[in-house]
Amino acid sequence: MTDPYNPLAMESLAHSIVTRMLETDPTPLDNVPRFTGAGVYAIYYRGQHSAYSLLRDANQDRFSVPIYVGKAVPKGGRRGIDVAASTVTRALADRIREHGNSIRAASNLDIADFTVRWLVVEDIWIPLGESALIREHRPVWNALVDGFGNHDPGRGRINGVRSRWDTLHSGRAWARNYPARSESISGIEQDVAEYLRSRL
């Protein structure tokens, strides 16, 4: 017996957010306008880095496979107190621009090769939308090459080793404060290529 369709089930709500975001127009990451709101976003790559050749091919005709998915919540949203109204916050635009700066700093990436989609979402649905997008696409910078979304931890707060992202795409000044990883760049590149081969 088939279960009756429930449009308000979590799965249905998540699908609605994912579908709506994928209907938005892709915008060059280097040309994101200032706008208000919080929500979710997906970043796409079509550049020449050899580790991502399958990703480039998959996105050649249309942007279908994101390299990274994330969310931006209003100030105070993580703790649930004094949450800034979604109509005044610039959390989503600021977060996307922050990613643009990380890519500009990388020595082997060109921001002209990146495109982004975003969707302003009511605060309560942002985590659901992000997790649904990650679950559906399993982007390589979410699943395998950690660290793209990291922030400068500030002086005296260095803990652990340099992220895989900062090892593969060196350039962010603050990331050099972390001890180097034991794995090689070529090893990470091989992992990326194998992961994409298994997914695409």
Side-chain angles (χ1 to χ4, degrees):
M1 179 179 173
T2 303
D3 292 334
Y5 175 67
N6 179 0
L8 297 182
M10 281 297 177
E11 186 175 322
S12 301
L13 294 170
H15 179 73
S16 172
I17 296 170
V18 170
T19 300
R20 182 67 190 93
M21 201 207 70
L22 296 179
E23 290 173 350
T24 63
D25 293 330
T27 299
L29 186 58
D30 200 23
N31 193 30
V32 174
R34 292 179 61 81
F35 61 91
T36 58
V40 294
Y41 57 91
I43 297 174
Y44 301 84
Y45 179 69
R46 292 201 302 192
Q48 298 300 314
H49 195 294
S50 59
Y52 306 119
S53 60
L54 291 177
L55 201 56
R56 178 185 63 238
D57 294 346
N59 289 324
Q60 200 60 47
D61 296 329
R62 63 190 182 98
F63 297 100
S64 58
V65 184
I67 195 169
Y68 185 77
V69 161
K71 71 175 185 297
V73 297
K75 186 177 181 181
R78 292 184 189 279
R79 292 183 297 170
I81 54 175
D82 297 331
V83 180
S86 60
T87 53
V88 299
T89 182
R90 295 188 187 277
L92 184 52
D94 289 347
R95 185 63 172 147
I96 293 171
R97 287 167 177 263
E98 185 179 7
H99 287 318
N101 290 335
S102 292
I103 288 169
R104 287 187 191 93
S107 59
N108 56 1
L109 295 174
D110 185 343
I111 195 167
D113 296 326
F114 288 84
T115 302
V116 61
R117 282 189 171 106
W118 67 85
L119 181 66
V120 174
V121 182
E122 292 289 344
D123 303 350
I124 191 173
W125 304 118
I126 293 173
L128 178 66
E130 182 198 36
S131 64
L133 283 163
I134 292 175
R135 197 166 50 246
E136 179 164 323
H137 294 289
R138 301 189 185 283
V140 65
W141 284 359
N142 291 88
L144 191 74
V145 184
D146 68 292
F148 175 58
N150 291 355
H151 301 274
D152 182 352
R155 285 182 177 276
R157 301 181 66 183
I158 301 297
N159 189 19
V161 298
R162 196 172 303 158
S163 74
R164 290 188 112 192
W165 194 88
D166 285 293
T167 301
L168 185 56
H169 303 299
S170 64
R172 292 194 289 200
W174 55 264
R176 289 194 288 271
N177 294 327
Y178 284 87
R181 303 182 69 84
S182 58
E183 62 184 335
S184 66
I185 292 175
S186 61
I188 298 174
E189 289 176 336
Q190 185 175 347
D191 282 353
V192 169
E194 290 177 0
Y195 178 79
L196 292 176
R197 198 175 299 120
S198 72
R199 297 284 307 163
L200 301 177

